[in-house]
């Protein structure tokens, strides 16, 4: 019996061992460990990759979203008590960033086929207190649509992207001739990115970033993440300590150079799953455009999730659930426990994530598919 890990980080990072060791040694030898040349270089390289004027390195993805909202409050664009529309089907960090700033999340149901926020339900949720919409490119699939962009412009809403799972994902704007391609993280007013080790672009510890074309926002979030200071010992804001350290920046520079190759390997794995998994009780993800998905997660759905997960484990195949309990049903958010969000709740009851990484071998994929089809 084969043993197949959900995500073999040791094998993923071993491919870059020599480059990573050199980059870390370079930082150690420099004697400069925070806000130095590695951070500056990564910020420039990642901004260029995403297609934005600015990239600001921060400690993690949650801080990235939190600081964006805090900056808008500091800039007078929002205030405590304002509402932020957010997909109900997301990791809890998206919601934590909102409530951390004393803003109110308004949960919008997803599309059952794409798992992304349902664009047709957004406008109904807008009130006079709504100031922003956060879209989450969940599982690595682009959540943005031109309709969403138009709604935000019409109602003067800030559009914030949670790009924690979608580095390198591409949105194609077909309304222009020729069609324009834009990476997620450059589609809204600002975006938060996570480089948690398990992400497609993962550091060897916690790390994150904010991307934006807004000069004022970039300046404000950079100050807020540096104790509220843009000039040493001068503090115009009540900030926090949230900075990307030099070692993680250097490691991310290495891995960014290999990201496109890794994304192509993930897409090949996803295509293999979609072409070969054939089971009447398993719902495969709907993929309309492989450019618009980077397959951080390959989610399937089944009413028999627990049985399937146990069966796969018995056959040496590790799986994960993203996520077993939706945010509005968590104990920390008792004020939202009464909400009925049936589509979100169905997804969280049925979703199961199959092994997905750029180092899965063909024989492993064939084994996974064969075992699933015999369930």
């Amino acid at each position: 019996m084969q043993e197949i890990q959900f995500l073999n980080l040791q094998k993923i990072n071993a491919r870059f061992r020599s480059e990573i060791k050199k980059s870390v040694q370079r930082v150690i030898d420099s004697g400069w460990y925070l806000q130095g040349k590695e951070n500056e270089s990564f910020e420039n390289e990642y901004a260029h990759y995403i297609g934005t004027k600015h990239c600001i390195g921060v400690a993690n993805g949650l801080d990235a979203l939190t600081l964006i909202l805090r900056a808008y409050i500091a800039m007078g664009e929002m205030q405590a008590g304002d509402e932020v529309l957010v997909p109900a089907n997301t990791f809890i960090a998206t919601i934590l960033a909102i409530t951390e700033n004393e803003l109110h999340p308004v949960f919008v149901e997803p599309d059952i086929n794409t798992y992304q926020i349902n664009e047709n339900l957004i406008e109904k949720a807008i009130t006079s207190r709504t100031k922003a919409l956060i879209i989450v490119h969940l599982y690595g699939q682009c959540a943005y649509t031109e309709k969403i962009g138009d709604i935000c412009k019409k109602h003067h809403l800030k559009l914030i992207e949670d790009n924690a799972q979608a580095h390198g994902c591409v949105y194609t704007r077909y309304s222009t001739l020729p069609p324009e391609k834009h990476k997620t993280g450059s589609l809204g007013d600002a975006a938060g990115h996570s480089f948690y080790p398990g992400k497609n672009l993962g550091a060897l510890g916690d790390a994150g970033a904010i991307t934006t074309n807004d000069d004022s926002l970039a300046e404000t979030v950079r100050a807020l993440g540096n104790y509220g200071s843009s000039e040493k010992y001068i503090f115009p804001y009540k900030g926090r300590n949230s900075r990307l350290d030099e070692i993680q920046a250097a490691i991310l520079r290495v891995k960014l150079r290999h990201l496109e190759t890794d994304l192509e390997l993930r897409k090949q794995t996803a295509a293999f799953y979609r072409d070969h998994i054939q089971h009447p009780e398993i719902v495969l993800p709907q993929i309309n455009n492989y450019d618009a998905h980077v397959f951080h997660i390959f989610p399937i759905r089944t009413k028999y999730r627990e049985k399937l997960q146990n069966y796969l484990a018995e056959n040496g195949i590790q799986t994960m659930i993203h996520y077993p309990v939706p945010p509005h049903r968590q104990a920390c958010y008792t004020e939202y426990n009464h909400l009925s969000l049936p589509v979100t709740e169905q997804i969280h009851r049925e979703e199961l994530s199959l092994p997905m990484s750029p180092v899965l071998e063909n024989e492993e994929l064939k084994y996974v598919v064969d075992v699933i089809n015999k369930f």
Side-chain angles (χ1 to χ4, degrees):
M1 182 177 70
Q2 294 196 51
E3 294 290 334
I4 300 176
Q5 293 184 35
F6 175 74
L7 183 68
N8 190 334
L9 284 177
Q10 188 176 32
K11 189 173 181 181
I12 288 171
N13 291 318
R15 300 171 301 157
F16 317 127
R17 182 184 288 114
S18 176
E19 290 176 84
I20 288 173
K21 283 185 173 180
K22 286 179 184 176
S23 70
V24 171
Q25 191 64 52
R26 186 172 67 240
V27 174
I28 293 170
D29 293 344
S30 75
W32 195 295
Y33 308 121
L34 278 171
Q35 296 185 303
K37 291 182 180 178
E38 296 294 341
N39 202 352
E40 181 182 359
S41 295
F42 173 71
E43 288 180 345
N44 289 335
E45 290 161 10
Y46 193 64
H48 177 74
Y49 176 77
I50 294 295
T52 55
K53 287 174 64 176
H54 304 284
C55 169
I56 303 94
V58 295
N60 53 68
L62 172 56
D63 278 6
L65 293 173
T66 302
L67 288 168
I68 290 169
L69 293 170
R70 185 162 295 185
Y72 280 132
I73 291 171
M75 295 163 65
E77 301 277 358
M78 300 179 194
Q79 62 183 357
D82 284 343
E83 295 173 347
V84 178
L85 305 187
V86 63
N89 179 37
T90 185
F91 181 55
I92 199 168
T94 320
I95 315 303
L96 290 171
I98 298 170
T99 57
E100 170 79 7
N101 285 292
E102 298 183 359
L103 300 166
H104 293 303
V106 176
F107 298 94
V108 180
E109 286 268 60
D111 182 311
I112 190 63
N113 296 309
T114 66
Y115 310 129
Q116 311 302 317
I117 193 168
N118 189 330
E119 63 176 11
N120 297 316
L121 301 178
I122 293 172
E123 207 155 13
K124 299 173 188 174
I126 296 172
T127 74
S128 59
R129 296 171 62 192
T130 308
K131 295 299 170 61
L133 165 64
I134 298 180
I135 56 172
V136 181
H137 305 298
L138 196 68
Y139 308 142
Q141 184 167 6
C142 181
Y144 179 84
T145 66
E146 290 203 38
K147 182 172 181 177
I148 287 174
D150 291 342
I151 289 170
C152 288
K153 289 174 185 173
K154 176 182 175 182
H155 295 277
H156 308 290
L157 305 181
K158 296 296 183 185
L159 177 58
I160 301 166
E161 298 172 77
D162 182 338
N163 200 49
Q165 300 184 3
H167 323 109
C169 184
V170 173
Y171 171 76
T172 303
R173 197 183 302 277
Y174 291 103
S175 61
T176 61
L177 291 175
E180 296 176 355
K181 292 184 179 292
H182 301 274
K183 285 195 172 69
T184 56
S186 69
L187 299 169
D189 295 287
H193 308 252
S194 169
F195 307 121
Y196 180 78
K199 297 293 167 56
N200 292 12
L201 178 60
L204 300 190
D206 276 321
I210 294 161
T211 54
T212 184
N213 288 315
D214 186 328
D215 296 341
S216 296
L217 181 70
E219 182 180 352
T220 306
V221 294
R222 192 178 292 281
L224 285 168
N226 187 39
Y227 300 99
S229 171
S230 54
E231 181 182 351
K232 198 171 181 70
Y233 301 133
I234 304 298
F235 302 93
Y237 309 108
K238 296 175 183 176
R240 66 197 299 170
N241 177 12
S242 181
R243 300 176 297 198
L244 177 63
D245 74 69
E246 286 288 279
I247 287 178
Q248 298 303 339
I251 292 167
L252 287 167
R253 291 183 68 198
V254 170
K255 297 186 78 175
L256 181 59
R257 293 196 290 269
H258 299 279
L259 179 58
E260 286 297 315
T261 299
D262 278 2
L263 296 184
E264 185 55 39
L265 292 169
R266 285 175 175 272
K267 290 175 185 180
Q268 290 174 15
T269 293
F272 187 89
Y273 279 152
R274 278 180 47 79
D275 290 345
H276 294 90
I277 294 175
Q278 297 175 346
H279 195 291
E281 297 297 340
I282 291 175
V283 179
L284 296 173
Q286 176 180 305
I287 311 299
N288 299 322
N289 181 349
Y290 274 82
D291 276 348
H293 207 316
V294 291
F295 300 99
H296 172 58
I297 301 295
F298 190 90
I300 61 173
R301 286 190 3 252
T302 177
K303 295 175 183 177
Y304 306 100
R305 179 173 67 188
E306 186 177 353
K307 288 183 179 179
L308 176 59
Q309 187 172 39
N310 290 337
Y311 163 76
L312 292 173
E314 289 165 3
N315 284 276
I317 300 168
Q318 185 182 34
T319 57
M320 298 281 285
I321 297 172
H322 294 88
Y323 302 94
V325 182
H328 73 282
R329 288 294 174 90
Q330 296 287 350
C332 64
Y333 283 121
T334 54
E335 64 269 40
Y336 301 117
N337 287 175
H338 69 281
L339 293 177
S340 175
L341 298 164
V343 178
T344 294
E345 289 155 19
Q346 179 184 352
I347 293 169
H348 286 248
R349 279 195 311 271
E350 298 179 352
E351 193 277 341
L352 186 68
S353 303
L354 299 185
M356 170 55 72
S357 83
V359 295
L360 284 167
E361 298 175 4
N362 287 339
E363 289 306 311
E364 292 177 313
L365 293 175
K366 289 176 183 177
Y367 177 72
V368 172
V369 167
D370 185 55
V371 171
I372 289 174
N373 286 340
K374 291 176 179 176
F375 173 58

